[in-house]
Amino acid sequence: MSVLLEDWKAHCVTIIGCAERILRANVTITEKGFADPKFIALALLIRTVSNLKGAMILLDARRIVEARTITRSCLENLYWTIGLYEEGDKFVRQMRDDEINYRKSTGQAIFASGASLDDEAETRLRKYLRDAAKIDIGKKTLSPKAIAALRPDFRKTYLFYAHLSTDSAHPSITALNRYVVSDPDNVGFDAEPLVRGTEIAETYEYLSMACIGTCVAVN
């Protein structure tokens, strides 16, 4: 198993090198600026490199839950890259609208909570909400499942995303059970749950799948 894990690590290092070469060869600024789908795709790629490096550090430390949570983020990066590849400017607008909706709901929640703001911050927030209300956008937010379904050959990968969500990213019964000591003579909890080598290898495989897909789509 140790040889297999070293092979996976070497493979991921190769992916990082590939992504960095893509970045060096393609960074340009067009008249669209940061709204250019290609520029956003490159930002997704460098985020993927950062995520991959972080996950590898966590896997070395056998922090399997945290590593798999970041792996789930890599799959999200892949889906958003697919959205940019398939729909271009339309998807950029959806990303913008999704963020505006989030900021609107957050601002409204702040005022609804009765939170105390200084005068300057309150003035800026109220102005933002007034300006955002003038923008004609829907309330639908971007969904990893829906974006993955834009391409039939990627739709099935959502099964991995859903698995990582329940298995690690969300505080589900399955995820929480990792920390329970099952020995009947010593019932309790352990912040260093048992990690199987096969699970580390599986996580490397998911990481590789997501990161190679992002490299290919961006390139």
Side-chain angles (χ1 to χ4, degrees), residues 38-78:
K38 292 182 179 179
F39 188 88
I40 296 177
L42 290 169
L44 279 163
L45 182 59
I46 195 62
R47 170 183 162 90
T48 301
V49 169
S50 177
N51 289 163
L52 176 53
K53 289 181 177 180
M56 292 175 68
I57 291 170
L58 289 167
L59 287 171
D60 278 345
R62 303 184 75 81
R63 309 300 307 184
I64 192 66
V65 172
E66 293 77 13
R68 288 167 80 85
T69 299
I70 292 180
T71 300
R72 178 177 175 269
S73 293
C74 289
L75 282 167
E76 280 193 352
N77 297 342
L78 171 61

Side-chain angles (χ1 to χ4, degrees), residues 1 4-6 8-9 12 59 64 68 195-208:
M1 178 57 69
L4 175 63
L5 295 182
E6 288 302 315
W8 274 120
K9 288 173 65 175
C12 286
L59 287 171
I64 192 66
R68 288 167 80 85
V195 180
R196 301 186 307 276
T198 53
E199 191 170 35
I200 294 177
E202 179 188 73
T203 306
Y204 271 121
E205 183 174 3
Y206 290 171
L207 276 168
S208 173

Side-chain angles (χ1 to χ4, degrees), residues 25-44:
N26 289 283
V27 177
T28 56
I29 301 295
T30 69
E31 66 280 0
K32 295 180 181 178
F34 293 171
D36 190 318
K38 292 182 179 179
F39 188 88
I40 296 177
L42 290 169
L44 279 163

